[in-house]
């Protein structure tokens, strides 16, 4: 209603609000409220109408996922090396939709940089080793055998480092 008084508001908009409520028996629940204005012939608000739905279960799942993600981040920060999920898409391109922050030290990029595109990692691999890495990935995917590869990376201004990578393939839909 405050935004309404300031003007420049779409009169047909719907507002979605998630709020925690007390149930009459004392427990807490989350509701998603979608609210629209009822207007008179001059366009002034004379009432509100809306619908509410219980989203308590969804909120519990979201909270559990946040807790799990925080625990994963905490535990993985003590693991030497990088934990990741590497994906070969049906079109043959690669991405890393999940990785720990250790990727920054190893490949010089962030988890967000490789979520949809593997090329930031490829740039860190020494050109002389890149074909070996790609061939080993392709062989692992073709034969569904564990992937293992020793290769070299170099970040700008740093010495060459040897890495040992390993993972277990799984077929996806």
């Amino acid at each position: 209603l405050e935004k309404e008084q300031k003007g420049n508001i779409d009169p047909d908009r719907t507002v979605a609000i998630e709020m925690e409520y007390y149930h009459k028996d004392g427990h807490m629940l989350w509701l998603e409220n979608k609210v629209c204005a009822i207007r008179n012939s001059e366009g002034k608000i004379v009432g509100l109408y809306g619908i509410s739905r219980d989203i308590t279960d969804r909120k519990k799942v979201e909270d559990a996922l946040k807790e799990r993600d925080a625990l994963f981040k905490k535990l993985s920060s003590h693991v030497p090396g990088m934990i990741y999920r590497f994906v070969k898409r049906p079109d043959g391109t690669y991405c890393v939709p999940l990785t720990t922050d250790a990727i920054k030290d190893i490949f010089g990029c962030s988890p967000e940089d490789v979520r949809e595109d593997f090329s930031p990692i490829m740039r860190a691999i020494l050109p002389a080793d890149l074909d070996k890495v790609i061939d080993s990935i392709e062989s692992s995917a073709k034969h569904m055998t564990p992937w293992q590869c020793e290769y070299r990376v170099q970040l700008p201004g740093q010495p060459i480092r040897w890495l040992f990578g390993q993972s277990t393939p799984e077929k996806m839909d």
Side-chain angles (χ1 to χ4, degrees):
L1 293 174
E2 183 179 309
K3 286 182 179 180
E4 182 79 20
Q5 292 171 353
K6 292 179 182 176
N8 246 358
I9 297 296
D10 175 10
D12 297 322
R13 76 186 181 287
T14 299
V15 178
I17 304 166
E18 293 181 0
M19 294 179 62
E20 195 172 23
Y21 292 89
Y22 284 104
H23 189 275
K24 65 182 177 182
D25 69 8
H27 78 275
M28 299 297 293
L29 71 149
W30 279 92
L31 295 180
E32 176 186 64
N33 306 293
K34 292 197 176 185
V35 182
C36 296
I38 301 170
R39 297 179 183 277
N40 65 17
S41 58
E42 288 87 42
K44 295 228 182 242
I45 295 178
V46 294
L48 299 172
Y49 70 96
I51 187 165
S52 297
R53 69 182 178 112
D54 187 342
I55 58 168
T56 304
D57 290 340
R58 188 190 86 201
K59 285 294 201 178
K60 286 179 184 175
V61 169
E62 288 173 358
D63 289 345
L65 287 172
K66 284 178 191 173
E67 285 180 35
R68 186 213 54 197
D69 289 350
L71 178 60
F72 175 74
K73 189 168 188 162
K74 180 180 178 182
L75 293 173
S76 67
S77 71
H78 299 288
V79 173
M82 183 176 100
I83 299 172
Y84 61 92
R85 181 170 193 202
F86 175 90
V87 173
K88 178 182 177 186
R89 295 185 186 106
D91 68 2
T93 60
Y94 309 125
C95 66
V96 183
L98 172 72
T99 183
T100 56
D101 288 336
I103 193 170
K104 294 172 188 169
D105 297 327
I106 297 170
F107 294 107
C109 56
S110 71
E112 295 77 26
D113 294 337
V114 296
R115 193 164 286 135
E116 296 295 327
D117 180 17
F118 184 67
S119 61
I121 291 174
M122 291 173 63
R123 286 192 290 273
I125 298 172
L126 254 56
D129 291 355
L130 187 56
D131 285 343
K132 175 176 80 167
V133 172
I134 298 300
D135 290 346
S136 67
I137 289 169
E138 291 296 326
S139 178
S140 172
K142 180 179 179 182
H143 302 290
M144 294 305 290
T145 55
W147 174 75
Q148 293 185 340
C149 188
E150 286 187 14
Y151 57 98
R152 296 168 293 171
V153 298
Q154 186 173 29
L155 301 179
Q158 294 186 16
I160 292 173
R161 292 182 293 155
W162 279 93
L163 295 183
F164 174 70
Q166 61 183 0
S167 65
T168 304
E170 70 176 289
K171 280 243 188 247
M172 298 174 68
D173 291 341

